[in-house]
Amino acid sequence: AANAVAAGPASASPMAASPMAASVAAAGPMVGVPMAGGAAAASVPSFRLDVMPIFFRAGCNAGTCHGAAKGKDGFMLSLFGYDPAGDYHRIVNDIAGRRVNVAVPERSLLLRKAIGKVPHTGGELFKAESVYYRTLRDWIAAGAPDDVGNVPDTTGLELSSESLVFEGRKTESQVRVFAHQSDGSKRDVTHLAMFHSNNPSIAAIDQNGRVSVGVAAGDTHVFARYSRFAIAASVIVLKPDNFVWPNPAA
């Protein structure tokens, strides 16, 4: 029977910034997961754990966008979110009442530009029905609070599978990404991670972490990035076995 073979969880190490950020600029609605802090904190998203990862996923704080040394179009974010305190100040306190409008969240420029309601050099980043929009809107509606106390930091990543083998009729497999936090917790951040394949002609991976077989057999790697970490899974695609044993006449 055809199958995708998954090995144990993989580990990750810090990786330098990559231009892969630009590839998710048009990310659409995604399946959400509970926000940081569990049920008690789910009503108020965390700026560092729920809001900032959206900027990373959408490519907002990449070097080609607002993460550039001088920002872009009058708005600057720290590259890949290395300075959350500075980002919070620039988002909430600069252009007070416009970029973030706590009285009428839907009129916040942060939201209107992201869904393409007003001109935006980066175009539409996600839909109003997406988990990204809902998270940002809920955070703004709660008063756009900064985090209080120590916020767990991401210390590494783990994949649901460190290797995949495709053979026979199996052509797809889902990979999930988990972030290990400094407080010992683990979060599913698949919807906030970015994905990339070394060779899409062998195996591609979409923005949801779904791996699919390409047009060629061989081996490659697919990557996931979140926070300052990157992690890879090996993929092997075997050629279809069309061999038929001969049945000579007796």
Side-chain angles (χ1 to χ4, degrees):
N3 53 29
V5 181
S11 59
S13 58
M15 177 180 179
S18 163
M20 183 170 57
S23 67
V24 298
M30 304 287 291
V31 177
V33 297
M35 285 177 285
S43 60
V44 180
S46 160
F47 177 71
R48 286 161 176 78
L49 297 181
D50 297 312
V51 173
M52 286 193 61
I54 294 175
F55 302 145
F56 170 80
R57 167 67 189 240
C60 303
N61 57 16
T64 55
C65 198
H66 300 293
K70 295 183 179 180
K72 194 168 188 178
D73 296 337
F75 179 39
M76 184 176 72
L77 292 171
S78 62
L79 185 63
F80 297 116
Y82 75 86
D83 179 21
D87 287 343
Y88 179 85
H89 173 77
R90 287 182 286 269
I91 292 168
V92 176
N93 299 324
D94 287 355
I95 320 179
R98 293 192 62 216
R99 187 166 288 140
V100 169
N101 187 335
V102 296
V104 188
E106 293 80 2
R107 296 198 62 81
S108 301
L109 280 179
L110 193 69
L111 292 176
R112 291 174 62 80
K113 287 198 172 191
I115 61 174
K117 288 295 185 181
V118 295
H120 180 218
T121 302
E124 181 187 272
L125 301 180
F126 44 77
K127 302 291 185 182
E129 299 80 17
S130 69
V131 66
Y132 308 121
Y133 181 93
R134 293 196 303 270
T135 299
L136 292 177
R137 187 207 170 281
D138 290 349
W139 173 69
I140 296 170
D146 197 359
D147 296 308
V148 177
N150 295 324
V151 178
D153 187 28
T154 299
T155 58
L157 299 182
E158 175 186 322
L159 291 180
S160 56
S161 303
E162 70 174 7
S163 64
L164 296 167
V165 178
F166 292 97
E167 58 181 329
R169 296 181 180 179
K170 181 68 176 180
T171 60
E172 291 187 344
S173 185
Q174 177 67 46
V175 172
R176 306 206 67 81
V177 186
F178 300 93
H180 289 271
Q181 305 295 111
S182 56
D183 63 354
S185 63
K186 183 169 76 170
R187 299 179 64 208
D188 186 334
V189 295
T190 306
H191 72 305
L192 294 169
M194 294 165 56
F195 299 96
H196 174 71
S197 171
N198 259 1
N199 192 339
S201 66
I202 295 175
I205 186 167
D206 68 13
Q207 62 185 10
N208 300 321
R210 190 77 178 172
V211 180
S212 57
V213 170
V215 297
D219 62 280
T220 187
H221 285 82
V222 293
F223 297 85
R225 288 191 62 219
Y226 175 80
S227 183
R228 64 186 185 277
F229 295 93
I231 190 170
S234 64
V235 182
I236 297 175
V237 179
L238 301 177
K239 291 182 179 180
D241 186 0
N242 297 320
F243 179 79
V244 177
W245 287 99
N247 186 20

